[in-house]
Amino acid sequence: MDYQRELLGGSSFLDRYEEQLSSLCRNQRFINMISLASKEAAEKTGSDTGKAGKNIISDTLFRERAYLLLPEYAHIVDDVARSGYSKKSAVLSIYYAAKILNASSSCGSYSASQANESAACQQDYHAQNSSNANARRIWEEIAFIIDKYRKDGAPEREFQIEMENAFEKLGWSRRLGEVIAQYTIPVGSAHSVRPDLIITKEGTPIFVVELKSRHLEQPRETPINCSPTCASSSSMWAC
């Protein structure tokens, strides 16, 4: 099959985007998308170069979100669009370029196992980056809440509600009974304590949170122990 005539600009398309196409050819996610588009076009129209086949290919690749998931792919599409062509034309050229490179073994520099390993590493890398960014965002939001209530005289109840929200950001759920306010805990047969918050796991309390204003005097003989999830003693609240 002569796919080169389907490319925008013919062989110059391969030269212009050699770096991006080479990278895409080693991405298992991209390989899977191309295979799916080719299979759907062949099954439904018998050809991937006819008008109906081209519509299926472009629809499949847009449906699989290749444009959003693969930066190299997006670079080519955007560059082609800036030249005055449609994104559909760019998508089809990427598809046919991959078929040409596949046929010439230019995409075969990795074995299947290496390609799978590379794809897995890329996914792990992006997942880790996303997780780190999300953790940073959550901490910044909690730090903002603490700083907001740093001044003396702020209502403790108001801050308690904010702290309940903060623990939910960290993964505990009020709906599931994992963050409970003003819960009475029996101590011995005749006494009990009532902390501001308790955090539970599968119905069992795992730690308590007692919110205190910084300006309140603490007895010297009573140390204040602060867990990593609570505000430090240098801020307005301690636990």
Side-chain angles (χ1 to χ4, degrees):
M1 183 75 68
D2 183 12
Y3 288 119
Q4 206 161 110
R5 66 182 183 181
E6 303 292 344
L7 298 175
L8 289 173
S11 60
S12 64
F13 185 89
L14 298 174
D15 296 333
R16 181 171 184 175
Y17 302 112
E18 179 181 4
E19 182 180 347
Q20 289 82 11
L21 290 169
S22 177
S23 177
L24 285 172
C25 277
R26 291 193 288 268
N27 188 306
Q28 190 61 39
R29 176 178 283 174
F30 175 74
I31 293 170
N32 292 341
M33 289 179 182
I34 292 297
S35 298
L36 177 62
S38 181
K39 180 180 178 182
E40 288 197 22
E43 288 179 349
K44 295 178 180 179
T45 70
S47 169
D48 60 358
T49 56
K51 183 177 180 181
K54 289 179 178 179
N55 287 335
I56 290 173
I57 290 165
S58 60
D59 289 347
T60 301
L61 293 177
F62 276 120
R63 183 185 72 223
E64 293 299 310
R65 302 173 65 215
Y67 180 80
L68 297 177
L69 296 172
L70 306 169
E72 301 90 348
Y73 187 102
H75 171 84
I76 297 174
V77 173
D78 289 340
D79 193 56
V80 168
R82 283 193 292 269
S83 300
Y85 295 96
S86 68
K87 288 186 176 181
K88 178 179 178 179
S89 297
V91 167
L92 290 171
S93 287
I94 294 172
Y95 168 85
Y96 294 124
K99 299 288 279 188
I100 292 169
L101 294 174
N102 235 350
S104 67
S105 300
S106 297
C107 280
S109 57
Y110 280 8
S111 67
S113 61
Q114 286 174 314
N116 284 326
E117 182 180 350
S118 174
C121 287
Q122 289 181 43
Q123 290 172 9
D124 289 345
Y125 173 78
H126 290 303
Q128 184 63 45
N129 276 356
S130 176
S131 176
N132 289 343
N134 189 52
R136 190 181 306 111
R137 180 185 60 79
I138 290 173
W139 173 245
E140 287 173 352
E141 290 182 5
I142 294 174
F144 170 79
I145 292 171
I146 294 172
D147 188 62
K148 178 182 176 182
Y149 288 90
R150 191 179 292 271
K151 64 183 183 297
D152 292 342
E156 185 173 323
R157 175 56 186 159
E158 186 176 331
F159 182 72
Q160 177 180 310
I161 293 173
E162 291 283 13
M163 283 295 96
E164 291 175 30
N165 294 334
F167 279 107
E168 286 206 316
K169 291 179 185 293
L170 293 170
W172 285 284
S173 168
R174 277 178 289 194
R175 181 178 63 84
L176 297 177
E178 295 172 336
V179 181
I180 305 175
Q182 303 299 321
Y183 181 84
T184 301
I185 302 175
V187 179
S189 59
H191 302 282
S192 65
V193 294
R194 192 179 179 85
D196 293 311
L197 298 173
I198 69 163
I199 306 300
T200 73
K201 183 176 181 180
E202 297 178 354
T204 302
I206 54 177
F207 63 88
V208 303
V209 180
E210 187 67 22
L211 305 171
K212 295 297 179 187
S213 179
R214 182 179 61 178
H215 73 280
L216 294 179
E217 290 291 334
Q218 296 288 337
R220 289 186 178 276
E221 66 274 17
T222 305
I224 299 176
N225 296 317
C226 218
S227 77
T229 54
C230 301
S232 68
S233 58
S234 62
S235 68
M236 174 179 172
W237 304 98
C239 60

